[in-house]
Amino acid sequence: MTTLTIVIVSYNASAHLEKCLESLAASPPSTPHHIIVVDNASPDGTPDWLRELAAARDDVTVVLNHLNLGFAAGNNLGLSLVRGDAVCLLNNDTLVTPGWLGRMRAVLDAHP
């Protein structure tokens, strides 16, 4: 099993993004994954927080846009950096439940 990449686009939603990433961290580590967060020039302090997060965690890559490129372009930028064989586009206000990634990965592996 190889790595699944989770791409999250954010703009001015640090509270939502923090809870989303906390819920991802709480999911079991049995499914290898990498997280790419693309921030679209948030003026609310999100870029500074994301710099600290990326420095502290090897499983997170952060892209800080200087302009708000929009949701679609943010996802496309994140997709251009994907590692592994599967991708999940996740909204920044999503709270995942324990085991979600393993269950999703099992479905993907069962239906290549």
Side-chain angles (χ1 to χ4, degrees):
M1 178 186 328
T2 60
T3 300
L4 180 134
T5 302
I6 301 165
V7 176
I8 304 169
V9 176
S10 180
Y11 176 73
N12 243 8
S14 60
H16 289 301
L17 180 59
E18 187 172 356
K19 290 177 184 174
C20 175
L21 293 173
E22 286 172 359
S23 74
L24 287 169
S27 77
S30 61
T31 302
H33 63 280
H34 182 77
I35 301 167
I36 298 172
V37 180
V38 179
D39 184 75
N40 272 328
S42 295
D44 67 350
T46 301
D48 292 333
W49 178 75
L50 286 173
R51 281 186 198 93
E52 292 176 17
L53 180 72
R57 291 183 52 183
D58 292 337
D59 65 331
V60 176
T61 298
V62 171
V63 178
L64 300 174
N65 291 329
H66 297 289
L67 298 170
N68 184 347
L69 302 177
F71 185 71
N75 275 311
N76 286 336
L77 181 56
L79 288 169
S80 74
L81 302 173
V82 165
R83 304 185 252 181
D85 66 336
V87 179
C88 173
L89 300 177
L90 197 64
N91 287 349
N92 66 3
D93 61 350
T94 302
L95 299 178
V96 300
T97 57
W100 78 278
L101 189 55
R103 291 188 303 273
M104 185 178 80
R105 187 65 212 217
V107 171
L108 292 173
D109 290 343
H111 304 283

